Amino acid sequence: FPPVTENFAGVIHGLNASHLTDLVIQRSKRMILDTLGVGLLGTSTEVFHKVIQYSKTYSSDASSTVWGHLDFRLPPLYAAFVNGVAVHSMDFDDTWHPATHPSGAVLPALIALSEALTQKQKFSGPDLLLAFNVGIEVQGRLMRFSSEASNIPKRFHPPAIVGTMGSAAAVAKLLALDPFKCKEALAVAASYAGAPMANVATPTKPLHIGNAAKHGLEAACLASLGLQGNKQILDMESGLGAFYTDYAPQVLPTLKSYSWLLDQQDVAIKRFPAHLGTHWVADAASSVRKHLVKGDNSLPINGIEKIVAKVPDVGYMNRPFPNSEHEARHSFQFAVCTALLDGSISVQSFSDQNISRPQLRELLKKTQLEHPPDNKPSFEILYCEVNVTLQDGNVFSERCDTFYGHWRKPLSAEDLKKKFHSNASQVLSAEAAEGIMETVDNLEKVEDCSVLNAFLKGTQSAKVLEKICSF
Amino acid sequence: LWETVTGSFASFIHAVQPEHLSEVVLHRSKRMILDSIGVGLVGSTTHVFDIALRYCQLYASNAVSSVYGKKGLKLSPTLAAFVNGVAAHSMDFDDTWHPATHPSGAVLPALLAVAQMLPPSAKPNGLDFLLAFNVGIEVQGRLMHFSTEAHNIPKRFHPPSVVGTLGSAAAVAKLLSLTRTQCANALAITASLAGAPMANAATQAKPLHVGNATRLGFEAALLAAQGMEASPLILDDLPGCSGFSAFYDNYQPKPLPLPANSHQFLLEKQDIAFKRFPAHLGMHWIVDAALSVRNLLINYAGSFSPALIRTILLRIPVSKYINRPFPESEHQARHSFQFNACTALLDGKMGVHSFTDASIHRQELKELLAKVLVEHPEDNIANFDKMYGEIALILENGDVLTGRCDTFYGHWRKPLSRDSLLKKFRSNASHVFPEDKVEAIITIVDNMENLPDSSYLASSL
């Protein structure tokens, strides 16, 4: 068998636009749109502000757009970093199976780089789509090298491992590196991979995606300058295998008729900014609420004796009294209570005010988690059951197996656009938001994908819009 | 005061003062600083350094920090740290500690860059610099004691990329006088930037591990200074949700004692090994063994005649990434027991020039390599405190000559003399500087404690 590493390099190098299926194109455009929206919204977060301040220290020969900011630019490395942080800042970005957040690690790097090189080279929409999908595909394939990866992670945060590798692959594709350099890009990227789970539910978590994008970009650039690493990086246990306890790498399918993972396995798109596990909880809790409350009335908190949420056993999601937005986004209990109280969870649910509401704290005190043995910590099979016991003895129970937005029940095109619009309009004008939607919708036909950056900056010039919309 | 392990580290970094540095620690750390600089200077002539530099020049703004050996060229501080860190490890010529890591290259470049970055009113003096340096070394040493795995030559993650990154964060946090909370956050943020797999050792990418350690730790400290927060329990044991423990199979973290009146630095009890030639530390045992058996052969036969040798038997510990019968590149050659043994036998000495392409591909060397067999005696443990190197030359006529080295010259049990250390430094630094500049650097480091502005050291490089 050929070494897996060499095989990956060959495929990264050899894939071209004709390999992209319609379904893959459609799904990846949805992912691109969602990621942009989530990133734009994320530029309003505190963590984003901190990384901006930090990155500005490197700002001169700046040549890439910071999403939502007309006022300054950054070198591509740092633009990829801050935009990646923005995408993951609120845990609002896409999730795949096996679990990782694929798009945020790849898209910011590609957009930043394509813009930086715009004087020397034009990248079309199809170029971007192809490179994007290479980045997604590589992540998916790498995750299948370990059965550990199928479950919600415990040791390393997946975006920091496969995301870094995916970013390197995507950039290698965009730069049209030869197979040798594609291989070296992967090898060098491995030395940047990996971040421990303990930083999840802290402000540093978004940096995992920012760094994945940044370091993958850096690795590919170093490879293109001739840097070499271990040519069997994917094959060896002391290579990418260092991050896993069981590691069984496999070669990619032949290019003759390439079968993309995204074709077989869609992503989940979040409806509100919190860990994916909370989406089952929210749907179950909202359903139970309907039994408890009629019309516009508020929840009879005092009438409730006990709330039980049956969820999988995931240590870092078990937070009875979260104190920060980052903790709240990673708390089953918070999700149950917010959905019961308000009927649904939204961006605003995580404001400081809402996190510390007395009514919410009341409900949290009555909430317990249970971990039925058949409820496995895998986004493919987990479920949530919410039982509310009233003072009068009545018990109401609802269960959610598949929330709306999960890959088994994908968001409609309309709802996806609604989410994007709601996010983007926090920082962009209506025209710019429209411009992005139009551009991504027609990405296969776009001649110069750096137009996305004009919109991402927030320029509202109608002239730009006109120029773009002449597909 | 019950404290988490993470908290104890933050307290230490924050509270330790120059007065806590003992004479021994001061002395040893200045030797390390000098050696690290020399090694970095010669490293600035390598190909891998060239690539790293060209890359960083794309992002060159805020260029205030010096690059080893490149007069007039400045880069932004973290990128300067990056390239200088790459230089330090580019030839595997930098210091090694026990448990195994390359401590100085992960710390010094960042500190030099910081010293230049700080405004004139806040320039750290030489003693501040020495303190920060030792904080960086100490933290690395303490972290390595959290796992028995760390005692032996590594298999999974390359230690500088794990502990080195945190050491750099700690050192920079100290030099920037961050608050205790910021120190804790610096460590935690860094954990998310640590860890590179061993497979890239013996490749051109390995030097990046040290370059990134010093740079990313530096970045993490800067982020912490901006208010970035991360897990307050990053060094503690968190079952089900790994922190720093993610990098180890067994993990028993221990708190650092609070400095109070006196703190015993690990460097006091456990010195560093300095390399005499640019190759993996393990090679130094086999080379000293080879040199001794070479002398035996010369006494026996009148001269070194390879034709007399039927077999060269190496008795070495088991360690896959340094067992290479026919290395093809300089990076592989630096990580090959076989190559180093045969080169020492052939030439009677080892130096920077032993690893050029011409030297690596010599016919006479290849012929010797073809005679090598390897054995792994059970008592030869892959551990820099316990291993030995033994060579048996089995001659055509059946006679056997044996050489053995338990402690090579430069190991912590047999440290380089001041003369030898200076000789190494002069030899390295003269690749890029004239004699007077070389001597000037020696003088500055020698008198480090009395230097009013430590950025002076950085700008003289």
Side-chain angles (χ1 to χ4, degrees):
Chain A
F1 291 114
V4 173
T5 313
E6 194 177 305
N7 161 261
F8 265 63
V11 170
I12 291 167
H13 178 257
L15 280 170
N16 57 53
S18 63
H19 288 110
L20 293 170
T21 66
D22 283 338
L23 185 55
V24 164
I25 291 180
Q26 194 226 10
R27 286 178 171 173
S28 53
K29 290 195 311 188
R30 283 164 59 92
M31 288 157 74
I32 289 172
L33 189 70
D34 188 65
T35 301
L36 290 174
V38 149
L40 286 167
L41 180 65
T43 63
S44 60
T45 60
E46 195 188 314
V47 60
F48 179 80
H49 284 141
K50 290 187 182 153
V51 296
I52 278 288
Q53 275 171 270
Y54 163 72
S55 300
K56 268 166 139 173
T57 53
Y58 305 107
S59 60
S60 115
D61 298 311
S63 55
S64 295
T65 302
V66 174
W67 300 356
H69 283 71
L70 192 56
D71 42 341
F72 61 87
R73 297 158 68 69
L74 285 176
L77 194 71
Y78 289 96
F81 174 56
V82 299
N83 292 329
V85 168
V87 167
H88 201 42
S89 61
M90 300 165 89
D91 231 293
F92 211 176
D93 45 332
D94 54 21
T95 312
W96 212 9
H97 179 68
T100 195
H101 302 291
S103 301
V106 170
L107 191 64
L110 293 177
I111 291 188
L113 187 63
S114 64
E115 193 185 8
L117 296 175
T118 224
Q119 303 298 336
K120 303 186 207 149
Q121 199 180 347
K122 231 176 20 169
F123 295 103
S124 65
D127 291 332
L128 183 69
L129 263 172
L130 181 62
F132 178 81
N133 278 291
V134 166
I136 302 300
E137 180 74 2
V138 163
Q139 293 184 65
R141 294 287 173 178
L142 291 177
M143 281 189 296
R144 282 158 170 79
F145 287 1
S146 167
S147 57
E148 215 176 296
S150 307
N151 294 339
I152 294 174
K154 289 189 188 173
R155 217 154 58 103
F156 288 106
H157 192 212
I161 308 177
V162 301
T164 311
M165 305 297 285
S167 170
V171 172
K173 188 63 192 169
L174 196 73
L175 293 175
L177 298 187
D178 65 41
F180 185 78
K181 287 186 173 172
C182 285
K183 191 163 38 175
E184 303 302 347
L186 291 173
V188 175
S191 279
Y192 286 82
M197 282 305 289
N199 277 333
V200 168
T202 78
T204 292
K205 187 193 189 197
L207 267 66
H208 293 182
I209 288 274
N211 279 325
K214 163 197 192 205
H215 292 146
L217 171 56
E218 180 159 298
C221 288
L222 286 166
S224 92
L225 287 171
L227 186 72
Q228 297 175 30
N230 189 311
K231 295 160 186 29
Q232 308 226 302
I233 196 70
L234 299 183
D235 297 82
M236 299 173 73
E237 252 177 47
S238 60
L240 198 68
F243 297 102
Y244 300 100
T245 48
D246 66 293
Y247 186 69
Q250 290 136 56
V251 296
L252 292 168
T254 161
L255 282 176
K256 292 209 172 70
S257 69
Y258 195 81
S259 152
W260 301 81
L261 288 172
L262 193 56
D263 224 290
Q264 308 154 32
Q265 169 71 61
D266 198 3
V267 290
I269 304 243
K270 292 175 174 171
R271 290 189 345 258
F272 53 84
H275 185 276
L276 202 72
T278 59
H279 282 59
W280 279 268
V281 172
D283 277 14
S286 310
S287 304
V288 171
R289 186 180 193 276
K290 295 197 175 100
H291 296 289
L292 306 170
V293 171
K294 300 294 172 232
D296 274 335
N297 295 332
S298 48
L299 189 75
I301 299 178
N302 293 327
I304 295 176
E305 189 187 297
K306 189 167 76 160
I307 303 166
V308 173
K310 294 185 177 167
V311 290
D313 188 1
V314 181
Y316 72 97
M317 291 297 295
N318 180 348
R319 293 172 197 276
F321 298 102
N323 288 316
S324 69
E325 59 168 290
H326 301 278
E327 289 183 4
R329 301 188 201 280
H330 297 81
S331 165
F332 281 132
Q333 294 92 330
F334 183 84
V336 172
C337 297
T338 301
L340 279 174
L341 205 51
D342 302 335
S344 66
I345 308 186
S346 69
V347 173
Q348 290 72 33
S349 307
F350 300 90
S351 67
D352 276 334
Q353 247 177 322
N354 280 329
I355 290 175
S356 51
R357 293 182 274 178
Q359 314 101 299
L360 186 71
R361 300 320 264 183
E362 269 305 302
L363 279 182
L364 284 170
K365 287 189 203 149
K366 307 185 197 217
T367 306
Q368 282 166 257
L369 298 183
E370 271 176 26
H371 307 301
D374 72 337
N375 202 346
K376 307 278 186 222
S378 154
F379 292 139
E380 180 58 36
I381 52 185
L382 80 91
Y383 65 87
C384 175
E385 191 181 292
V386 172
N387 299 339
V388 175
T389 307
L390 301 181
Q391 300 285 1
D392 64 17
N394 275 321
V395 181
F396 295 98
S397 174
E398 287 288 348
R399 171 169 167 146
C400 172
D401 285 292
T402 302
F403 66 85
Y404 177 45
H406 190 267
W407 45 83
R408 288 191 298 262
K409 207 192 276 182
L411 288 193
S412 66
E414 203 191 302
D415 285 335
L416 188 82
K417 291 201 167 126
K418 239 162 110 183
K419 176 186 173 184
F420 175 80
H421 196 265
S422 162
N423 287 342
S425 59
Q426 298 293 319
V427 285
L428 297 182
S429 68
E431 291 102 328
E434 268 304 312
I436 296 177
M437 281 197 279
E438 280 285 315
T439 311
V440 174
D441 229 4
N442 295 290
L443 201 50
E444 307 91 301
K445 307 186 203 98
V446 169
E447 277 179 20
D448 180 357
C449 66
S450 71
V451 303
L452 271 176
N453 292 293
F455 295 125
L456 284 168
K457 260 199 286 267
T459 12
Q460 7 179 333
S461 150
K463 272 187 285 186
V464 179
L465 192 65
E466 248 170 60
K467 197 163 76 163
I468 301 331
C469 289
S470 54
F471 303 123
Chain B
L1 192 81
W2 177 83
E3 203 176 14
T4 59
V5 173
T6 310
S8 79
F9 269 64
S11 297
F12 168 75
I13 295 165
H14 179 253
V16 73
Q17 294 302 314
E19 302 82 73
H20 291 112
L21 295 170
S22 68
E23 287 304 316
V24 170
V25 165
L26 272 174
H27 170 74
R28 286 177 171 174
S29 53
K30 289 194 307 183
R31 281 163 60 90
M32 288 156 74
I33 289 173
L34 188 71
D35 187 68
S36 192
I37 289 173
V39 148
L41 288 171
V42 71
S44 72
T45 61
T46 61
H47 181 45
V48 60
F49 175 82
D50 195 50
I51 294 176
L53 185 61
R54 272 187 288 140
Y55 171 70
C56 289
Q57 282 177 296
L58 302 171
Y59 304 115
S61 110
N62 189 34
V64 296
S65 297
S66 302
V67 173
Y68 285 169
K70 304 282 177 194
K71 188 177 158 73
L73 173 65
K74 289 213 165 70
L75 289 177
S76 64
T78 58
L79 292 180
F82 176 57
V83 297
N84 290 335
V86 167
H89 201 43
S90 60
M91 299 164 90
D92 230 295
F93 211 176
D94 46 333
D95 54 21
T96 311
W97 211 12
H98 179 68
T101 194
H102 302 291
S104 300
V107 170
L108 187 64
L111 294 180
L112 291 168
V114 170
Q116 285 178 303
M117 176 183 94
L118 290 168
S121 56
K123 290 291 189 199
N125 61 37
L127 203 52
D128 293 332
F129 191 92
L130 274 168
L131 179 63
F133 179 81
N134 278 291
V135 165
I137 303 299
E138 178 75 356
V139 163
Q140 292 183 66
R142 294 284 169 174
L143 290 174
M144 281 191 294
H145 283 99
F146 287 1
S147 171
T148 50
E149 212 175 302
H151 288 209
N152 295 340
I153 295 174
K155 288 186 191 179
R156 215 152 59 99
F157 289 106
H158 192 212
S161 70
V162 176
V163 301
T165 319
L166 270 79
S168 171
V172 173
K174 188 63 193 171
L175 200 63
L176 293 176
S177 304
L178 298 191
T179 67
R180 189 191 168 293
T181 306
Q182 288 170 331
C183 288
N185 283 322
L187 287 175
I189 296 167
T190 317
S192 282
L193 292 161
M198 280 307 291
N200 276 333
T203 77
Q204 196 184 43
K206 188 191 189 198
L208 262 67
H209 294 183
V210 172
N212 275 328
T214 194
R215 164 213 203 181
L216 297 174
F218 185 176
E219 288 192 9
L222 291 179
L223 283 164
Q226 302 276 14
M228 181 72 63
E229 294 167 5
S231 170
L233 294 173
I234 197 69
L235 298 182
D236 293 81
D237 197 14
L238 300 163
C241 181
S242 303
F244 191 63
S245 62
F247 299 104
Y248 298 101
D249 285 332
N250 67 84
Y251 186 74
Q252 293 94 36
K254 295 168 267 274
L256 266 173
L258 258 164
N261 297 314
S262 72
H263 174 87
Q264 193 182 51
F265 285 81
L266 289 171
L267 192 56
E268 181 100 28
K269 294 187 289 190
Q270 170 68 64
D271 197 3
I272 279 246
F274 291 114
K275 292 170 175 176
R276 289 189 344 259
F277 54 89
H280 183 278
L281 201 75
M283 311 301 109
H284 284 64
W285 277 270
I286 210 67
V287 159
D288 276 13
L291 293 176
S292 94
V293 83
R294 182 181 194 273
N295 280 336
L296 287 182
L297 185 59
I298 291 175
N299 287 339
Y300 176 95
S303 66
F304 179 74
S305 333
L308 294 175
I309 304 172
R310 176 161 15 111
T311 305
I312 303 170
L313 186 59
L314 302 183
R315 296 196 177 105
I316 49 175
V318 173
S319 180
K320 273 200 279 202
Y321 78 104
I322 39 183
N323 179 346
R324 295 169 195 274
F326 298 102
E328 315 241 292
S329 70
E330 61 170 288
H331 302 281
Q332 289 183 1
R334 301 186 200 280
H335 297 78
S336 163
F337 278 120
Q338 295 90 330
F339 177 86
N340 283 273
C342 292
T343 302
L345 283 173
L346 206 51
D347 301 340
K349 60 180 184 210
M350 295 294 291
V352 173
H353 306 287
S354 309
F355 300 89
T356 61
D357 271 338
S359 300
I360 292 173
H361 296 113
R362 288 182 284 175
Q363 188 54 32
E364 320 90 90
L365 185 68
K366 292 193 172 165
E367 281 166 17
L368 268 189
L369 284 171
K371 304 188 190 201
V372 173
L373 282 178
V374 154
E375 260 175 24
H376 303 298
E378 257 179 53
D379 70 339
N380 201 349
I381 305 178
N383 170 309
F384 292 142
D385 209 34
K386 303 187 186 157
M387 65 174 276
Y388 62 85
E390 197 174 283
I391 301 191
L393 296 182
I394 303 171
L395 305 183
E396 290 293 352
N397 65 16
D399 281 350
V400 180
L401 301 172
T402 312
R404 176 171 168 135
C405 169
D406 285 290
T407 302
F408 66 84
Y409 178 46
H411 189 266
W412 44 82
R413 289 190 297 261
K414 205 192 279 182
L416 290 192
S417 66
R418 179 182 159 80
D419 268 350
S420 297
L421 192 75
L422 287 183
K423 200 165 147 209
K424 177 185 174 184
F425 180 80
R426 286 181 177 119
S427 162
N428 285 341
S430 61
H431 272 86
V432 287
F433 288 143
E435 198 188 315
D436 57 331
K437 255 201 112 160
V438 173
E439 294 307 313
I441 299 171
I442 293 176
T443 310
I444 297 173
V445 176
D446 242 1
N447 294 292
M448 195 78 202
E449 307 91 302
N450 305 314
L451 195 62
D453 175 359
S454 53
S455 72
Y456 185 59
L457 175 60
S459 47
S460 63
L461 301 174

